[in-house]
Amino acid sequence: MSVVFWILAVITVLGGLTAVTLKNTVHCALALTVAFAGLALLFLELDAQFAGFAQILVYIGAVAILVVFAILLTRGSETPSEGVFSRTWFAGLLIAAAVFAVLAWAVVNSSAALPHETAAPTVNVQQIGHALMGRYVLPLEIVALLLTAAMLGAVIVAMHEKGEQK
Amino acid sequence: MTPLAGYLLVAALVFAIGLAGALTRRNAILVLIGIELMLNAANLNLVAFWRYGPHPELLTGMMFAVFSIAVAAAEAAVGLGLVIAIYRHARTTDLDEINRMKG
């Protein structure tokens, strides 16, 4: 395990942790961006350059900005008087802890069977392009259709209805 | 501990944090943030298994992650659009107060 991995893991986990615990929602969005960046760097550390840069472009470039827009459009940055956590927060925390315990138990128990260090795969953009245009051309087209439908759907859902009072 | 186990543990931790956020926060946008974290943790698993599994030259796991990122982007756009629509209707994004199916 390299030092770089541990640094990136700490950045990612701390970013995620602050993103769900801070009071101010705008600060949460910023912490979320840090977590996304940490995950992108983990992808790069895993020799998945394409996925890492896709993560930076899509998550930091688009999703984080969308979240900030949504927060500002809904005045979500105002802290509610009765606290930021819901009434059933304890049950939620318990469920999350149980899920983590099960996942960690499974990983630690199967640790011996997991493959060890392997040579870094050499992947260039040409291979990815060939794969996207050959083996994965049908999923690519479906994703293109899905993104178009989602964009139209998001605009229609968030659009002002006719005759609605502002 | 093998490197793969380390990545899997980090992914499990991020997933649990996202789940805790989605289950405990009042604000609908923060619930969406938690869901995004959970999706990202799954992506990290996919890429880690691709890197340390057999036949990484087939690109299977990485392509899965890339498509998953695209689907997550679509989900975020529609989800935040829905939050804005609900806010316009109910004047709040507090999920404890949005408790009626009828408008």
Coordinates of all heavy atoms in Angstrom, one line a residue, chain B residues 31-91:
Chain B
V31 N -29.7 14.9 0.7 CA -30.0 13.5 0.5 C -29.4 13.1 -0.9 O -28.8 12.0 -1.0 CB -31.5 13.2 0.6 CG1 -31.8 11.8 0.2 CG2 -32.0 13.5 2.0
L32 N -29.6 14.0 -1.9 CA -29.1 13.7 -3.2 C -27.5 13.6 -3.2 O -26.9 12.8 -3.9 CB -29.5 14.8 -4.2 CG -30.8 14.5 -4.9 CD1 -31.2 15.7 -5.7 CD2 -30.8 13.3 -5.8
I33 N -26.9 14.5 -2.4 CA -25.4 14.5 -2.2 C -25.0 13.1 -1.7 O -24.1 12.5 -2.2 CB -25.0 15.6 -1.3 CG1 -25.0 16.9 -2.1 CG2 -23.6 15.4 -0.8 CD1 -24.6 18.1 -1.3
G34 N -25.8 12.6 -0.7 CA -25.5 11.3 -0.1 C -25.6 10.2 -1.2 O -24.7 9.3 -1.3
I35 N -26.6 10.3 -2.0 CA -26.8 9.3 -3.1 C -25.6 9.3 -4.1 O -25.1 8.3 -4.5 CB -28.1 9.5 -3.8 CG1 -29.2 9.1 -2.8 CG2 -28.2 8.6 -5.0 CD1 -30.6 9.5 -3.3
E36 N -25.2 10.6 -4.4 CA -24.0 10.7 -5.3 C -22.8 10.0 -4.7 O -22.0 9.4 -5.4 CB -23.7 12.2 -5.6 CG -24.8 12.9 -6.4 CD -24.8 12.4 -7.8 OE1 -23.8 11.9 -8.3 OE2 -25.9 12.4 -8.4
L37 N -22.6 10.2 -3.4 CA -21.4 9.6 -2.8 C -21.5 8.1 -2.9 O -20.5 7.4 -3.1 CB -21.3 10.0 -1.3 CG -20.7 11.4 -1.0 CD1 -20.7 11.7 0.4 CD2 -19.3 11.4 -1.5
M38 N -22.7 7.5 -2.7 CA -22.9 6.1 -2.8 C -22.5 5.6 -4.2 O -21.9 4.6 -4.4 CB -24.3 5.7 -2.4 CG -24.6 5.8 -0.9 SD -26.3 6.0 -0.5 CE -26.9 4.4 -0.8
L39 N -23.0 6.3 -5.2 CA -22.7 5.9 -6.6 C -21.2 6.0 -6.9 O -20.7 5.1 -7.5 CB -23.4 6.9 -7.6 CG -24.9 6.6 -7.9 CD1 -25.5 7.8 -8.5 CD2 -25.0 5.4 -8.8
N40 N -20.6 7.0 -6.3 CA -19.1 7.1 -6.5 C -18.4 6.0 -5.9 O -17.4 5.5 -6.4 CB -18.6 8.5 -6.0 CG -18.7 9.5 -7.0 OD1 -17.9 9.5 -7.9 ND2 -19.6 10.4 -6.9
A41 N -18.8 5.6 -4.7 CA -18.2 4.4 -4.0 C -18.3 3.2 -4.9 O -17.3 2.4 -5.0 CB -18.8 4.2 -2.7
A42 N -19.5 3.0 -5.5 CA -19.6 1.8 -6.4 C -18.7 1.9 -7.6 O -18.0 0.9 -8.0 CB -21.1 1.7 -6.9
N43 N -18.5 3.1 -8.1 CA -17.6 3.3 -9.2 C -16.1 2.9 -8.8 O -15.4 2.3 -9.6 CB -17.6 4.7 -9.7 CG -18.8 5.0 -10.6 OD1 -19.5 4.1 -11.0 ND2 -19.1 6.3 -10.8
L44 N -15.8 3.4 -7.6 CA -14.4 3.0 -7.1 C -14.2 1.5 -7.1 O -13.2 1.0 -7.5 CB -14.2 3.7 -5.8 CG -12.8 3.5 -5.2 CD1 -11.7 4.1 -6.1 CD2 -12.7 4.2 -3.8
N45 N -15.2 0.8 -6.6 CA -15.2 -0.6 -6.6 C -14.9 -1.2 -8.0 O -14.1 -2.1 -8.2 CB -16.5 -1.2 -6.0 CG -16.4 -1.5 -4.6 OD1 -15.4 -1.2 -3.9 ND2 -17.4 -2.1 -4.0
L46 N -15.7 -0.7 -8.9 CA -15.6 -1.2 -10.3 C -14.2 -1.0 -10.9 O -13.6 -1.9 -11.4 CB -16.6 -0.5 -11.2 CG -18.1 -0.8 -10.9 CD1 -19.0 0.1 -11.8 CD2 -18.4 -2.2 -11.2
V47 N -13.7 0.2 -10.7 CA -12.3 0.5 -11.2 C -11.3 -0.3 -10.5 O -10.3 -0.8 -11.1 CB -12.0 2.0 -11.2 CG1 -10.6 2.3 -11.7 CG2 -13.0 2.8 -12.0
A48 N -11.4 -0.5 -9.2 CA -10.4 -1.3 -8.4 C -10.4 -2.7 -8.9 O -9.3 -3.3 -9.1 CB -10.7 -1.2 -6.9
F49 N -11.6 -3.3 -9.1 CA -11.6 -4.7 -9.5 C -11.1 -4.8 -10.9 O -10.5 -5.8 -11.3 CB -13.1 -5.2 -9.5 CG -13.5 -5.8 -8.1 CD1 -14.5 -5.2 -7.4 CD2 -12.8 -6.9 -7.6 CE1 -14.8 -5.7 -6.1 CE2 -13.1 -7.4 -6.4 CZ -14.1 -6.8 -5.7
W50 N -11.3 -3.8 -11.8 CA -10.8 -3.8 -13.1 C -9.3 -3.8 -13.1 O -8.6 -4.6 -13.8 CB -11.3 -2.6 -13.9 CG -10.5 -2.3 -15.2 CD1 -10.6 -3.0 -16.3 CD2 -9.5 -1.3 -15.3 NE1 -9.7 -2.5 -17.2 CE2 -9.0 -1.5 -16.7 CE3 -8.9 -0.3 -14.5 CZ2 -8.0 -0.7 -17.2 CZ3 -7.9 0.5 -15.0 CH2 -7.5 0.3 -16.3
R51 N -8.7 -3.0 -12.2 CA -7.2 -2.8 -12.2 C -6.6 -4.1 -11.7 O -5.5 -4.5 -12.2 CB -6.9 -1.6 -11.2 CG -5.5 -1.5 -10.9 CD -4.6 -1.1 -12.1 NE -3.2 -0.8 -11.7 CZ -2.4 -1.8 -11.3 NH1 -2.7 -3.0 -11.3 NH2 -1.1 -1.4 -11.0
Y52 N -7.1 -4.8 -10.7 CA -6.5 -5.9 -10.0 C -7.0 -7.2 -10.5 O -6.5 -8.3 -10.1 CB -6.5 -5.8 -8.5 CG -5.7 -4.6 -8.0 CD1 -6.2 -3.5 -7.6 CD2 -4.3 -4.7 -8.1 CE1 -5.5 -2.4 -7.1 CE2 -3.5 -3.6 -7.7 CZ -4.1 -2.5 -7.2 OH -3.3 -1.4 -6.8
G53 N -8.1 -7.2 -11.3 CA -8.7 -8.5 -11.7 C -7.9 -9.0 -13.0 O -7.0 -8.4 -13.5
P54 N -8.4 -10.2 -13.5 CA -7.8 -10.7 -14.7 C -8.3 -10.0 -15.9 O -9.4 -9.4 -15.9 CB -8.2 -12.2 -14.7 CG -9.5 -12.2 -13.9 CD -9.4 -11.1 -12.9
H55 N -7.4 -10.0 -16.9 CA -7.7 -9.3 -18.2 C -8.1 -7.9 -18.1 O -9.2 -7.5 -18.6 CB -8.9 -10.1 -19.0 CG -8.6 -11.5 -19.1 ND1 -7.5 -12.0 -19.9 CD2 -9.2 -12.6 -18.7 CE1 -7.5 -13.3 -19.8 NE2 -8.5 -13.7 -19.1
P56 N -7.3 -7.0 -17.6 CA -7.6 -5.6 -17.6 C -7.6 -5.0 -19.0 O -8.2 -3.9 -19.2 CB -6.5 -4.9 -16.7 CG -5.4 -5.9 -16.8 CD -6.0 -7.3 -16.9
E57 N -7.0 -5.7 -20.0 CA -6.9 -5.1 -21.3 C -8.2 -5.1 -22.0 O -8.4 -4.4 -23.0 CB -5.8 -5.9 -22.2 CG -6.3 -7.3 -22.6 CD -6.0 -8.3 -21.5 OE1 -5.6 -7.9 -20.4 OE2 -6.3 -9.5 -21.7
L58 N -9.2 -5.9 -21.5 CA -10.6 -5.9 -22.1 C -11.3 -4.6 -21.7 O -12.4 -4.4 -22.2 CB -11.3 -7.1 -21.6 CG -10.9 -8.4 -22.2 CD1 -11.7 -9.6 -21.7 CD2 -11.0 -8.4 -23.8
L59 N -10.9 -3.9 -20.7 CA -11.4 -2.6 -20.3 C -12.8 -2.7 -19.7 O -13.5 -1.7 -19.5 CB -11.5 -1.6 -21.5 CG -10.2 -1.2 -22.1 CD1 -10.5 -0.4 -23.4 CD2 -9.5 -0.3 -21.1
T60 N -13.3 -3.9 -19.3 CA -14.7 -4.0 -18.9 C -15.1 -3.2 -17.7 O -16.0 -2.4 -17.8 CB -14.9 -5.5 -18.6 OG1 -14.2 -6.3 -19.4 CG2 -16.4 -5.9 -18.6
G61 N -14.3 -3.3 -16.6 CA -14.6 -2.6 -15.4 C -14.6 -1.1 -15.6 O -15.4 -0.3 -15.1
M62 N -13.6 -0.6 -16.3 CA -13.5 0.9 -16.5 C -14.6 1.4 -17.4 O -15.2 2.5 -17.1 CB -12.1 1.2 -17.2 CG -11.7 2.6 -16.9 SD -10.1 3.0 -17.5 CE -10.5 3.3 -19.2
M63 N -15.0 0.6 -18.4 CA -16.1 1.1 -19.2 C -17.4 1.1 -18.4 O -18.2 2.0 -18.5 CB -16.3 0.1 -20.4 CG -15.3 0.4 -21.5 SD -15.4 2.1 -22.1 CE -13.9 2.2 -22.9
F64 N -17.6 0.1 -17.5 CA -18.7 0.1 -16.7 C -18.7 1.3 -15.8 O -19.8 2.0 -15.7 CB -18.6 -1.2 -15.8 CG -19.9 -1.6 -15.2 CD1 -20.1 -2.9 -14.7 CD2 -21.0 -0.7 -15.0 CE1 -21.2 -3.4 -14.1 CE2 -22.2 -1.2 -14.4 CZ -22.3 -2.5 -14.0
A65 N -17.6 1.7 -15.3 CA -17.5 2.9 -14.4 C -17.8 4.2 -15.2 O -18.6 5.0 -14.7 CB -16.1 3.0 -13.8
V66 N -17.3 4.2 -16.5 CA -17.6 5.4 -17.3 C -19.1 5.6 -17.6 O -19.6 6.6 -17.5 CB -16.7 5.4 -18.6 CG1 -17.2 6.5 -19.5 CG2 -15.2 5.5 -18.2
F67 N -19.7 4.4 -18.0 CA -21.1 4.5 -18.2 C -21.9 4.8 -17.0 O -22.9 5.5 -17.0 CB -21.6 3.2 -18.8 CG -21.2 3.0 -20.3 CD1 -20.5 1.9 -20.7 CD2 -21.6 3.9 -21.2 CE1 -20.1 1.8 -22.0 CE2 -21.3 3.8 -22.5 CZ -20.5 2.7 -22.9
S68 N -21.4 4.3 -15.8 CA -22.1 4.6 -14.6 C -22.0 6.1 -14.2 O -23.0 6.7 -13.7 CB -21.5 3.7 -13.5 OG -21.7 4.2 -12.2
I69 N -20.8 6.7 -14.6 CA -20.7 8.1 -14.3 C -21.7 8.9 -15.2 O -22.4 9.8 -14.7 CB -19.3 8.6 -14.7 CG1 -18.3 8.1 -13.6 CG2 -19.2 10.1 -14.8 CD1 -16.8 8.3 -14.0
A70 N -21.9 8.5 -16.4 CA -22.9 9.1 -17.3 C -24.3 9.0 -16.8 O -25.0 10.0 -16.7 CB -22.8 8.6 -18.7
V71 N -24.6 7.8 -16.3 CA -26.0 7.6 -15.8 C -26.2 8.4 -14.5 O -27.2 9.0 -14.3 CB -26.2 6.1 -15.5 CG1 -27.6 5.9 -14.8 CG2 -26.2 5.4 -16.8
A72 N -25.1 8.5 -13.7 CA -25.2 9.3 -12.4 C -25.4 10.8 -12.7 O -26.1 11.5 -12.0 CB -24.0 9.1 -11.6
A73 N -24.8 11.3 -13.8 CA -25.0 12.7 -14.2 C -26.4 12.9 -14.6 O -27.0 13.9 -14.2 CB -24.0 13.0 -15.4
A74 N -27.0 12.0 -15.4 CA -28.4 12.1 -15.7 C -29.3 12.1 -14.5 O -30.2 12.9 -14.3 CB -28.8 11.0 -16.7
E75 N -29.0 11.2 -13.5 CA -29.8 11.1 -12.3 C -29.7 12.4 -11.5 O -30.7 12.9 -11.0 CB -29.2 9.9 -11.5 CG -29.8 9.8 -10.1 CD -28.9 10.4 -9.1 OE1 -27.6 10.4 -9.3 OE2 -29.4 10.9 -8.1
A76 N -28.5 13.0 -11.4 CA -28.3 14.2 -10.7 C -29.1 15.3 -11.3 O -29.8 16.1 -10.6 CB -26.8 14.6 -10.6
A77 N -29.1 15.4 -12.6 CA -29.9 16.5 -13.3 C -31.4 16.4 -13.0 O -32.0 17.3 -12.6 CB -29.6 16.5 -14.8
V78 N -31.9 15.1 -13.2 CA -33.4 14.9 -13.0 C -33.7 15.1 -11.5 O -34.7 15.7 -11.1 CB -33.8 13.6 -13.5 CG1 -35.2 13.3 -13.1 CG2 -33.6 13.5 -15.0
G79 N -32.8 14.6 -10.6 CA -33.1 14.7 -9.2 C -33.2 16.1 -8.7 O -34.1 16.5 -8.0
L80 N -32.2 16.9 -9.1 CA -32.2 18.3 -8.7 C -33.3 19.1 -9.3 O -33.9 20.0 -8.7 CB -30.8 19.0 -9.0 CG -29.7 18.4 -8.2 CD1 -28.3 18.8 -8.7 CD2 -29.8 18.8 -6.7
G81 N -33.7 18.7 -10.6 CA -34.9 19.3 -11.2 C -36.1 19.1 -10.4 O -37.0 19.9 -10.1
L82 N -36.3 17.8 -9.9 CA -37.4 17.4 -9.1 C -37.4 18.2 -7.8 O -38.5 18.7 -7.3 CB -37.4 15.9 -8.8 CG -37.8 15.0 -9.9 CD1 -37.5 13.6 -9.5 CD2 -39.3 15.2 -10.2
V83 N -36.2 18.4 -7.1 CA -36.1 19.2 -5.9 C -36.6 20.6 -6.1 O -37.4 21.1 -5.3 CB -34.7 19.1 -5.3 CG1 -34.5 20.1 -4.2 CG2 -34.3 17.7 -4.9
I84 N -36.2 21.2 -7.2 CA -36.6 22.6 -7.5 C -38.1 22.6 -7.7 O -38.8 23.5 -7.2 CB -35.8 23.1 -8.7 CG1 -34.3 23.3 -8.3 CG2 -36.4 24.4 -9.2 CD1 -33.4 23.6 -9.5
A85 N -38.7 21.6 -8.4 CA -40.1 21.6 -8.7 C -40.9 21.5 -7.3 O -41.9 22.2 -7.1 CB -40.5 20.5 -9.6
I86 N -40.4 20.6 -6.4 CA -41.0 20.4 -5.1 C -40.9 21.7 -4.3 O -41.9 22.1 -3.7 CB -40.4 19.2 -4.4 CG1 -40.8 17.9 -5.0 CG2 -40.8 19.2 -2.9 CD1 -40.1 16.7 -4.5
Y87 N -39.7 22.3 -4.4 CA -39.6 23.6 -3.6 C -40.5 24.6 -4.1 O -41.1 25.4 -3.3 CB -38.1 24.1 -3.8 CG -37.9 25.4 -3.2 CD1 -37.8 25.6 -1.8 CD2 -37.9 26.6 -4.0 CE1 -37.7 26.8 -1.2 CE2 -37.8 27.8 -3.4 CZ -37.6 27.9 -2.0 OH -37.5 29.2 -1.4
R88 N -40.8 24.7 -5.4 CA -41.7 25.7 -5.9 C -43.1 25.4 -5.5 O -43.9 26.4 -5.2 CB -41.6 25.7 -7.5 CG -42.3 26.9 -8.1 CD -42.1 26.9 -9.6 NE -40.7 27.1 -9.9 CZ -40.1 26.4 -10.9 NH1 -40.7 25.5 -11.5 NH2 -38.8 26.7 -11.1
H89 N -43.4 24.2 -5.3 CA -44.8 23.8 -4.9 C -45.0 23.9 -3.4 O -45.9 24.5 -2.9 CB -45.0 22.3 -5.3 CG -46.5 22.0 -5.2 ND1 -47.4 22.3 -6.1 CD2 -47.1 21.3 -4.2 CE1 -48.6 21.9 -5.7 NE2 -48.4 21.2 -4.6
A90 N -44.0 23.4 -2.6 CA -44.2 23.3 -1.1 C -43.4 24.4 -0.4 O -43.6 24.5 0.8 CB -43.7 21.9 -0.6
R91 N -42.6 25.2 -1.1 CA -41.8 26.3 -0.5 C -40.9 25.8 0.5 O -40.5 26.5 1.5 CB -42.8 27.3 0.1 CG -43.5 28.2 -0.9 CD -42.6 29.3 -1.4 NE -42.9 29.5 -2.8 CZ -42.0 30.0 -3.7 NH1 -40.8 30.2 -3.3 NH2 -42.3 30.2 -4.9

